[in-house]
Every structure is written in C-alpha cells, then in structure tokens.
Amino acid sequence: MTTRLYEHPIFLEHVTPPGHPERADRLRSLNIALEHPNFARLDRKQAPQASEDAVLLAHPEEHLLAVMRQIPEEEDRINQLEADTYASSKSLQAALTGVGAAMAAVDDVFSGAADNVFVAARPPGHHAEKTTAMGFCFFNNAAIAARHAQKAHGAERIAIVDWDVHHGNGTQDIFWDDPSVLFCSTHQMPLYPGTGALQETGTHNTIVNAPLSPNTGSDHFREAFKSRVLPALHDFRPDLIIISAGFDAHHRDPLAQINLVGEDFDWATGRLLEVADRSARNRVVSLLEGGYDLEGLAESAGLHILRMIKG
Ligand SMILES: [Zn+2]
C-alpha cells in the first residue's frame, strides 16, 4: 500500500485557551510517534490550503461568513464562538488547510497517487453542522471531502465511518436526507452532543448509529462494528470510505468513559480496509477528529496509520 500523510505547521497555530483539551500538543505528540522507523514508508506531503469556496460544498455561505467574522485580527486574541469552540488569528487558515488536505486526499486515492491517506489536521470537523460551528469544529472536513469526491471524481456512493467517541452530529445533519452517503457512527451514549440514538436513521436509512454504554470496551465496540457498521458497509458497496478518526474512545481519554486499547483501532482499520478492497479499489481517506490524551492518541493513531501502511 502507498499511504500518504498530510501535515502542515499551520495546524499548530490554531490556538485555544489554556487548559482546553483540543490543543496543539495533540499533533506534536502524534508527530513524535510518527518519527519511528515503522513510519519510514509514509509519503509525507504538506497540506494545501483550500479556497473559501470549498467550504460551500457542505455549508451555506452564511456559515462561512459567520466563522470568518469571528476570527480575531490581533495575534494574541482568542474569540469564543460558542460554549467549546474558540478561534485565534490563524484559525481560519488552519481550518481551510484541513479542508484542503481532505480534498487533496480524495484526489490522491482517485488518481492512484496513494491507496490511502491520513490527514493529521486540527481543528477537527465532525461536530460542524450545516450552519453551526460547535464542539471544537468550524467546517465539516469529512462532509466536504465526500461532496468533493462526488463532484470532482464522479463517486456515486460514499461511506463515512466515524469512531470518535462523540457522535458525529454534524455529518449526520449534513447527510440526513442524502441516499448517496452512508454515515456510520460508534460513540458513547449518553455523552456530548446528545445525538446518535439507534432510531436516528435518516430519511433513506443511510444513517447507522451504534451507541455504546459508558464503561464498556473492546468487546462492545467490536460487536457494534460487526453487527451494525460492517453489514451496512457490505450492503452499500461504497466507492470511497472516509474515516472520521477520533481516538477519544481510548481508555486513557479524559473526555469519555469507553475503554478501548490501541489494538482496537488497528482491528477496526483492518476491517475497513477489507471493505475498501472489495468495493472501493482500496480507497480510504482518514481524517483526524478527537483524541485528548496525548499518549492514547499517539498510540492509537500510530497503530491506525501502521495498519493503513501494511494494508
Ligand atoms: Zn470526540
């Protein structure tokens, strides 16, 4: 497998207030892990910045303008957009570079430049609804990547698999009535943002939620994957799999109570690569979402990326 990695120093310049869990040290910790010789085969590329127009693939212009209005000009200032979401002077550039990397990753798997791609970006995206920045997210990178695959590469069916411990309410909101995108999510329930019940299935039964009870672990996660996520993927036969790869279901994570270990992310990655091999010519684009324990994040994301390299 050729596995590409998109990174960019601008991702470290999106500044949140002291003590905020979504911080630049997350990427620093992952970058250190990726210096291991195991990752020598990674094809590392600097992420390109998307145009502002790219955001309009998944959000109305009013949302883009609302985010832009709240970006501070002063370098030392941080603006609060809502309860958990903050912007500094470089946040728009960082968010647009995350969008650009997700779109470039889609281009790469369709052109054959890479079999699969990991995007190590922040801020994350899966909580961003059509018109709402929330939960540390401005723009929904996974949704924009899916729309880009359809528009630029003629993809017909796209699956977005979200194993972040929080429900991907933004992605569900954007694709609620779109039969061309299957959205599958495992997440702790109850937990922020409160959505993601089994009965939330979308207009065309293309939303598949697999909520997990607090204090469960590998067995429940793998069972949910085997009984709900994998059968849905098997039936849907996607042309592309996009992973909303959050690593906050790791047992060390401070924001949730699911007890996964690093090997669970290796296992789940392997199962998705099998689906991609069957129906999507191996095309997998994985986008970093959450993961707030530095050690748990580095371990889990490292094993996920290693599985993508090995195939
Ligand atoms: Zn999360």
Side-chain angles (χ1 to χ4, degrees):
M1 291 280 182
T2 304
T3 300
R4 185 164 280 185
L5 170 73
Y6 279 107
E7 50 195 354
H8 198 292
I10 192 71
F11 296 138
L12 301 174
E13 295 189 51
H14 162 56
V15 182
T16 52
H20 194 284
E22 204 295 283
R23 61 210 190 274
D25 280 349
R26 298 175 59 233
L27 282 190
R28 293 194 183 97
S29 148
L30 177 56
N31 290 339
I32 291 168
L34 296 181
E35 284 169 16
H36 190 279
N38 278 345
F39 300 98
R41 275 171 55 199
L42 266 183
D43 175 24
R44 294 159 194 257
K45 290 273 188 268
Q46 180 147 311
Q49 185 176 322
S51 68
E52 289 160 6
D53 282 355
V55 172
L56 307 181
L57 287 167
H59 301 278
E61 192 172 20
E62 64 187 85
H63 176 67
L64 170 66
L65 296 176
V67 170
M68 289 172 67
R69 268 199 305 275
Q70 296 178 83
I71 304 293
E73 283 182 20
E74 306 88 332
E75 268 183 37
D76 56 350
R77 194 184 154 116
I78 297 176
N79 283 349
Q80 185 171 21
L81 275 68
E82 55 94 51
D84 306 307
T85 311
Y86 295 84
S88 64
S89 62
K90 299 285 176 60
S91 294
L92 181 66
Q93 263 175 277
L96 288 175
T97 306
V99 169
M103 294 169 71
V106 166
D107 293 338
D108 293 340
V109 297
F110 277 96
S111 72
D115 292 299
N116 53 48
V117 185
F118 185 79
V119 176
R122 56 182 290 277
H126 74 147
H127 292 306
E129 298 185 344
K130 284 184 199 126
T131 58
T132 314
M134 62 181 276
F136 320 157
C137 303
F138 299 90
F139 307 131
N140 197 308
N141 302 318
I144 293 168
R147 293 283 196 229
H148 176 63
Q150 293 178 322
K151 198 170 168 188
H153 301 284
E156 291 179 1
R157 291 176 311 283
I158 293 160
I160 301 176
V161 178
D162 184 331
W163 65 49
D164 188 283
V165 81
H166 303 95
H167 180 240
N169 61 293
T171 314
Q172 173 169 299
D173 173 60
I174 291 166
F175 297 115
W176 182 261
D177 54 10
D178 183 344
S180 70
V181 176
L182 175 72
F183 176 63
C184 302
S185 176
T186 59
H187 47 272
Q188 178 177 320
M189 193 165 211
L191 188 68
Y192 180 91
T195 48
L198 278 175
Q199 311 87 276
E200 297 168 25
T201 56
T203 308
H204 305 281
N205 278 317
T206 45
I207 306 282
V208 177
N209 283 307
L212 305 168
S213 301
N215 303 310
T216 58
S218 305
D219 293 352
H220 283 78
F221 170 73
R222 294 189 188 204
E223 179 52 33
F225 225 75
K226 284 192 263 193
S227 66
R228 294 191 55 77
V229 176
L230 294 175
L233 288 169
H234 185 81
D235 292 346
F236 192 72
R237 297 190 58 76
D239 308 314
L240 165 68
I241 297 178
I242 297 171
I243 307 176
S244 265
F247 298 97
D248 39 11
H250 189 278
H251 69 94
R252 290 180 55 98
D253 198 276
L255 296 196
Q257 295 80 40
I258 298 293
N259 297 311
L260 299 194
V261 294
E263 287 71 23
D264 292 313
F265 296 101
D266 166 79
W267 177 85
T269 306
R271 301 293 75 73
L272 296 185
L273 290 173
E274 287 168 3
V275 176
D277 177 40
R278 277 200 302 270
S279 78
R281 299 190 183 180
N282 293 316
R283 292 184 282 246
V284 173
V285 166
S286 178
L287 310 175
L288 179 64
E289 301 282 2
Y292 304 101
D293 176 78
L294 300 184
E295 198 177 302
L297 170 64
E299 181 204 8
S300 308
L303 288 168
H304 166 59
I305 295 168
L306 204 53
R307 175 54 54 196
M308 289 171 70
I309 294 172
K310 289 177 179 167

